[in-house]
Amino acid sequence: MKVGKTPVLDPEEARTLLDSIDVTTAVGKRDRALIALMVYSFARVGAALAMKVEDVYVQNRRLWVWLHEKGGKRHEMPCHHNLETYLHVYIDGCCLAGDPKAHLFRTIGRGTGELTLTPLPQANAYVMIRRRALAAGIGTKIGNHSFRATGITAYLKNGDTLEKASSMANHASTRTTQLYDRRRDEMSLDEVERVVI
């Protein structure tokens, strides 16, 4: 079986990372919302960064996201309650709702600390994630894709099915989803620890 190489966080590390972000600033609100979106909806970073403000919407009294996936596909997902909170804090706290056609995740103006209208590039998202992980004391060398793998692994560890995870991740095949399943890593670590000398 092929195994993925993307570094993942365990749920405690992901929680530590999200909780470590100072959300009294626009950049903190943005960063926490972006990381949470990738963790809770299994979104690819490219799909998250392509989102417009209007792609976060209410349906059946819940917040949903509309992700712009590879090949022009659009993928709708209901929000986890934590993600819903973080998106509200970001959108409401940064007054983004008034411009629904604008990009949801944007750069921060030099010296201003305020959001610009320029979409956040993937390279900048990577630098932000590395900086946030370092500040939170996380040694794992994570990248943009780590959050997709982290969310999928946490979902599967809670007893849910590979088929459902595949659908949520918008994968064409469960074989692709298996690349993100790192439950075997934990099993291997548990087995190694049984070598008592």
Side-chain angles (χ1 to χ4, degrees), residues 183-196:
R183 292 176 293 176
R184 293 176 66 101
D185 294 354
E186 272 189 29
M187 180 191 67
S188 299
L189 182 59
D190 290 344
E191 292 304 311
V192 167
E193 290 301 325
R194 294 178 79 179
V195 180
V196 180

Side-chain angles (χ1 to χ4, degrees), residues 6-178:
T6 303
V8 298
L9 299 175
D10 73 22
E12 278 185 38
E13 285 179 305
R15 169 63 30 220
T16 297
L17 177 59
L18 289 166
D19 289 347
S20 73
I21 298 172
D22 174 11
V23 292
T24 60
T25 65
V27 70
K29 290 176 179 74
R30 179 202 67 190
D31 293 355
R32 185 178 69 171
L34 177 58
I35 291 169
L37 177 68
M38 292 187 288
V39 169
Y40 289 114
S41 72
F42 312 162
R44 291 176 182 90
V45 67
L49 296 177
M51 289 178 69
K52 307 285 189 196
V53 174
E54 67 187 356
D55 293 328
V56 178
Y57 61 96
V58 175
Q59 179 173 289
N60 296 328
R61 295 179 300 188
R62 285 301 299 256
L63 206 62
W64 284 62
V65 291
W66 205 338
L67 300 166
H68 302 258
E69 293 287 356
K70 291 178 179 177
K73 295 179 190 168
R74 291 178 66 112
H75 178 62
E76 294 178 86
M77 282 279 295
C79 291
H80 182 280
H81 65 275
N82 288 340
L83 175 57
E84 187 167 357
T85 298
Y86 300 157
L87 285 170
H88 275 304
V89 167
Y90 173 51
I91 292 169
D92 298 343
C94 295
C95 304
L96 302 180
D99 192 1
K101 299 286 184 198
H103 279 90
L104 180 60
F105 297 106
R106 310 166 189 183
T107 59
I108 301 293
R110 289 188 188 272
T112 68
E114 300 296 320
L115 293 170
T116 69
L117 290 176
T118 306
L120 184 68
Q122 238 174 286
N124 293 38
Y126 175 78
V127 170
M128 174 274 288
I129 286 162
R130 293 294 310 133
R131 184 174 35 84
R132 293 288 184 191
L134 193 62
I138 294 170
T140 305
K141 191 171 188 223
I142 58 171
N144 294 330
H145 229 52
S146 295
F147 300 113
R148 187 170 169 86
T150 297
I152 289 170
T153 300
Y155 180 78
L156 293 171
K157 276 169 53 175
N158 285 325
D160 287 294
T161 68
L162 190 61
E163 290 75 19
K164 286 181 185 173
S166 182
S167 176
M168 290 170 65
N170 202 29
H171 286 144
S173 165
T174 57
R175 286 188 316 220
T176 305
T177 311
Q178 285 175 320

